[in-house]
Amino acid sequence: MAMASSSTKAIFSSSPVTPSPSSHLSQKPPSLLSFLHSTATATATSTPISVKLSHSRSTSQVVVNSVLKTVTSPETSVPNYKTQDLNYPRPTILVSEKLGEAGLEVLRSFGDVECLYGLSPDELCSKISSCDALIVRSGTKVSRQVFEASKGRLKVVGRAGVGIDNVDLQAATEFGCLVVNAPTANTVAAAEHGIALLTAMARNVAQADASMKAGKWLRSKYVGVSLVGKTLAIMGFGKVGSEVARRAKGLGMHVIAHDPYAPADRARALGVELVAFNQAISTADFISLHMPLTPATSKVFNDEAFANMKKGVRLINVARGGVIDEDALVRALNSGIVAQAALDVFTEEPPPADSKLVQCENVTVTPHLGASTKEAQEGVAIEIAEAVVGALKGELSATAVNAPMVPPEVVSELSPYVVLAEKLGRLAVQLVAGGSGIKSVRVVYKSARDPDDLDTRLLRAMVTKGIIEPISASFVNLVNADFTAKQKGLRISEERVLVDSSPEFPVDSIQVIISDVESKFASALSDNNGDISIEGKVKFGIPHLTRVGSFPVDVSLEGNLILCRQVDQPGMIGQVGNILGEQNVNVSFMSVGRTVLRTKAIMAIGVDEEPDKETLEKIGKVAAIEEFVFLKL
Ligand SMILES: NC(=O)C1=CN([C@@H]2O[C@H](COP(=O)(O)OP(=O)(O)OC[C@H]3O[C@@H](n4cnc5c(N)ncnc54)[C@H](O)[C@@H]3O)[C@@H](O)[C@H]2O)C=CC1
Ligand SMILES: O=C(O)C(=O)COP(=O)(O)O
């Protein structure tokens, strides 16, 4: 398989095949799941060559210049779930809160669905280790303990709604678990509930209703306030906030908004002025909260904020209870700064029975009903079920919360380079003496494409995976690659080099450079700066090693590899080939690259089996061999 280039010579191949350019097109690209949950491995056998890709267990056969290539997937640590794939059990999907029937049907058509509502934290933790996916709403705390208890089995958490403040995203990321949400299907429901609370509060609907049911007729007590001409401040001008604004305009209100990240043109289009926080809260008659609960928004409505509000302001919260300091709100209600509040959400849900807010006459409360319409619940159920099934299938999710969203066409195009990136990382780290102490890795992508036209996040994640997994117990995937690298003090920097090759292919070559380390194979150090440097290319869909240090080579990155540096002289291949042959070690590829004729050369030998220690020692004893290393791919 070794291919000659101007500076390399093809020496030996157990299957002298020149793959046709179409061969890689016949291979199904690895799915996102493989980037999320499995290790890409490539294993060469004798003819027919078995190229293992990490996408599915199905075996496809590709005819390449009359030689049959069998393309199979590897034994992945985690099955790739396909309903039609009988070799794997169906995934188990735990639904821990009420989900619309249409969504359950989508889930049931794909996996075994268990609906267990009202689990205690301990019960959830003990159940989760047998679940591949978990679907929650706002009532389930998906804490670090849940991810720990899952022992790596949980692949995806689906939040059937918007707010993901009940999911420990950091822990999910560290455990390589994808989190997806359903961000659009309940927008209108939440906005409508906001308007319902606004109007009900202004006209004391709930209080008047309760008093009539108690046998009273209190017309003068429940005189309300009008909305028309009043200023409404929308805090958080996202999807829900915009819809509330649109409806409030219809009620004749003057709407302003505060949102540090909202585009001004969206606000302008709705006739809404974007203003600073203090201006919003100090000029509004009504304040409606629509920002997410984050460390930055936690308790932003506190004593100081209430002190800046207009006396008699009215507050609506259908976002999250935690954005309000509830004790401060009670004080503001008691002092009359806040005339009324209408709350759908609470710091603790359900709030304690003696909650002063719930008991307060001026406060209208609903039990987190913002998303609770039939239409919204069916919508979020379908949206989340499709996202979770897609994630389990390995498809990309448009609603991933803790992973880069890479468009499917980019994944498909980059898939062979993804395998190359992981192999290069895996190979480079094995060239480091001791394998640890790596601080700085540079990845150089040579490409004819404009840098903006090359999304390298997948490739970087896979180089990281390749480097970290052989030297630690960490499991690395697209979700946690950057986190794991950072945690290990590994700095991965990327460079793009524009080359004059075909822009039809996204990447011409990938080079992995590890600086400031010693190598167990000195020839892998580049001449100019002494860094470990290896480079590879994808040829006809197959990853190839094309440079080691300053030596050009050309071997397919499959199976295991022996790299030898020797005096460039005749007979070397025969000698090493004999030693391996005597031990029944099958050679799949060989390539020799040299820098100076008859002086120094590198021989790269692909072997199917792992040679034993004695065999490797025999190779080391060949007089002309100056150094060698055995590498597992
Ligand atoms: N009560 C309920 O049942 C429901 C509650 N919600 C909650 O409503 C909130 C908003 O939901 P969406 O509009 O769908 O989300 P979104 O992401 O479309 O909008 C949130 C907006 O808040 C803005 N924001 C972030 N930090 C801010 C800050 N410090 N100050 C002001 N604005 C800030 C963002 O820029 C964004 O525009 C979420 O917390 C969500 O959980 C959503 C649906 C139903
Ligand atoms: O989507 C959201 O953020 C919500 O707050 C809705 O919560 P729920 O799914 O009704 O528990």
Side-chain angles (χ1 to χ4, degrees):
M1 182 68 77
M3 314 247 310
S5 70
S6 55
S7 52
T8 59
K9 47 182 180 172
I11 302 296
F12 175 96
S13 169
S14 60
S15 61
V17 180
T18 307
S20 81
S22 63
S23 66
H24 76 281
L25 299 176
S26 320
Q27 295 174 13
K28 207 167 161 241
S31 64
L32 178 70
L33 184 73
S34 58
F35 306 146
L36 289 172
H37 297 293
S38 68
T39 304
T41 55
T43 308
T45 61
S46 54
T47 310
I49 301 158
S50 171
V51 181
K52 291 187 168 182
L53 293 177
S54 56
H55 57 278
S56 83
R57 281 174 67 92
S58 61
T59 299
S60 57
Q61 298 196 317
V62 184
V63 177
V64 181
N65 281 5
S66 311
V67 176
L68 194 65
K69 283 192 115 196
T70 308
V71 180
T72 61
S73 70
E75 296 301 320
T76 55
S77 54
V78 176
N80 189 359
Y81 297 107
K82 304 267 178 195
T83 37
Q84 70 274 19
D85 186 343
L86 300 176
N87 292 319
Y88 284 126
R90 283 153 62 85
T92 299
I93 303 166
L94 174 63
V95 179
S96 70
E97 287 175 78
K98 182 128 181 56
L99 192 72
E101 195 49 41
L104 289 173
E105 270 169 36
V106 172
L107 296 173
R108 285 191 193 112
S109 70
F110 183 74
D112 293 331
V113 180
E114 261 196 276
C115 296
L116 295 175
Y117 305 149
L119 291 175
S120 69
D122 283 349
E123 286 167 337
L124 177 60
C125 282
S126 61
K127 184 75 204 157
I128 204 70
S129 61
S130 60
C131 301
D132 302 287
L134 169 66
I135 295 186
V136 301
R137 288 176 58 186
S138 60
T140 308
K141 296 268 168 290
V142 191
S143 62
R144 178 170 290 275
Q145 286 74 20
V146 174
F147 293 104
E148 280 166 0
S150 124
K151 300 193 176 77
R153 171 134 182 202
L154 189 64
K155 296 166 200 72
V156 54
V157 172
R159 185 344 186 171
V162 187
I164 29 87
D165 44 285
N166 53 324
V167 180
D168 187 334
L169 279 186
Q170 179 62 29
T173 302
E174 288 174 28
F175 282 82
C177 179
L178 186 69
V179 180
V180 290
N181 70 351
T184 57
N186 67 21
T187 301
V188 167
E192 286 177 349
H193 198 62
I195 294 291
L197 287 178
L198 168 76
T199 50
M201 172 176 64
R203 303 307 293 269
N204 302 305
V205 172
Q207 292 82 350
D209 175 76
S211 75
M212 270 192 78
K213 289 197 165 86
K216 296 177 188 156
W217 184 256
L218 300 172
R219 296 187 65 211
S220 54
K221 182 171 181 191
Y222 293 124
V223 172
V225 290
S226 184
L227 301 177
V228 71
K230 298 284 168 57
T231 298
L232 169 68
I234 305 270
M235 309 300 285
F237 196 67
K239 293 184 293 296
V240 179
S242 308
E243 290 303 322
V244 169
R246 199 191 299 276
R247 285 158 178 75
K249 295 283 279 183
L251 295 171
M253 299 187 83
H254 170 61
V255 183
I256 56 173
H258 167 71
D259 187 327
Y261 315 107
D265 53 349
R266 179 149 53 85
R268 247 194 320 272
L270 286 176
V272 173
E273 190 191 353
L274 279 178
V275 298
F277 182 85
N278 273 336
Q279 190 185 342
I281 62 168
S282 61
T283 53
D285 303 299
F286 292 81
I287 300 174
S288 193
L289 312 186
H290 301 288
M291 68 250 280
L293 176 60
T294 65
T297 62
S298 174
K299 296 192 177 173
V300 281
F301 298 95
N302 49 27
D303 285 315
E304 193 188 335
F306 288 122
N308 283 335
M309 291 179 190
K310 239 187 190 179
K311 194 163 167 60
V313 69
R314 288 174 165 80
L315 189 73
I316 303 110
N317 188 8
V318 286
R320 282 294 176 270
V323 301
I324 296 179
D325 176 341
E326 289 177 341
D327 293 335
L329 176 56
V330 172
R331 287 189 284 275
L333 282 158
N334 290 340
S335 70
I337 292 177
V338 175
Q340 287 183 298
L343 309 173
D344 182 46
V345 283
F346 304 87
T347 303
E348 189 187 330
E349 293 187 357
D354 60 352
S355 159
K356 290 200 176 98
L357 275 181
V358 176
Q359 304 304 332
C360 182
E361 165 75 3
N362 296 351
V363 179
T364 304
V365 287
T366 49
H368 202 146
L369 291 180
S372 295
T373 62
K374 284 183 184 156
E375 296 83 354
Q377 281 313 306
E378 285 300 284
V380 289
I382 294 170
E383 199 177 351
I384 204 61
E386 286 176 349
V388 165
V389 167
L392 286 171
K393 278 181 180 169
E395 291 164 10
L396 287 156
S397 168
T399 61
V401 175
N402 64 340
M405 289 179 227
V406 187
E409 59 278 11
V410 174
V411 173
S412 172
E413 188 178 46
L414 285 182
S415 58
Y417 304 91
V418 161
V419 180
L420 173 67
E422 183 180 347
K423 300 268 178 201
L424 289 174
R426 201 168 279 275
L427 210 140
V429 75
Q430 292 178 71
L431 291 167
V432 177
S436 58
I438 305 169
K439 292 273 169 282
S440 169
V441 176
R442 262 192 311 142
V443 187
V444 182
Y445 309 98
K446 288 187 186 144
S447 169
R449 294 225 181 136
D450 188 282
D452 290 342
D453 202 12
L454 180 63
D455 187 336
T456 58
R457 289 171 300 175
L458 270 179
L459 303 177
R460 185 181 70 231
M462 287 300 141
V463 171
T464 309
K465 180 179 175 69
I467 287 174
I468 291 177
E469 283 192 341
I471 55 168
S472 81
S474 304
F475 160 74
V476 184
N477 69 3
L478 182 58
V479 173
N480 68 1
D482 287 345
F483 166 81
T484 312
K486 203 169 162 200
Q487 199 192 33
K488 297 198 175 294
L490 186 63
R491 192 173 158 270
I492 313 249
S493 61
E494 295 175 287
E495 283 170 34
R496 320 259 176 100
V497 176
L498 196 64
V499 289
D500 190 16
S501 62
S502 168
E504 188 197 337
F505 301 107
V507 180
D508 181 68
S509 71
I510 302 175
Q511 189 184 5
V512 174
I513 302 159
I514 304 183
S515 312
D516 304 323
V517 286
E518 287 178 16
S519 177
K520 58 170 87 142
F521 186 67
S523 312
L525 301 171
S526 71
D527 283 345
N528 32 357
N529 51 17
D531 293 340
I532 291 180
S533 165
I534 55 170
E535 188 171 317
K537 293 185 180 214
V538 170
K539 297 189 174 187
F540 311 112
I542 309 257
H544 279 236
L545 179 68
T546 54
R547 185 168 286 273
V548 175
S550 304
F551 293 86
V553 292
D554 195 338
V555 280
S556 164
L557 281 170
E558 298 168 304
N560 306 310
L561 199 62
I562 299 170
L563 291 177
C564 305
R565 191 195 66 223
Q566 77 265 8
V567 179
D568 185 31
Q569 62 181 42
M572 295 304 300
I573 293 149
Q575 281 188 58
V576 177
N578 276 344
I579 294 170
L580 292 168
E582 276 164 18
Q583 299 304 317
N584 203 23
V585 174
N586 197 41
V587 174
S588 49
F589 313 94
M590 256 199 204
S591 159
V592 172
R594 58 195 174 188
T595 44
V596 187
L597 188 70
R598 292 267 172 174
T599 307
K600 246 202 274 184
I602 274 193
M603 182 160 50
I605 309 159
V607 286
D608 298 335
E609 295 82 17
E610 182 173 343
D612 61 20
K613 211 168 146 228
E614 281 167 23
T615 310
L616 290 172
E617 276 168 8
K618 276 188 192 163
I619 293 174
K621 282 183 186 148
V622 174
I625 290 184
E626 291 165 343
E627 61 169 345
F628 80 100
V629 65
F630 173 73
L631 305 162
K632 284 184 185 178
L633 297 172

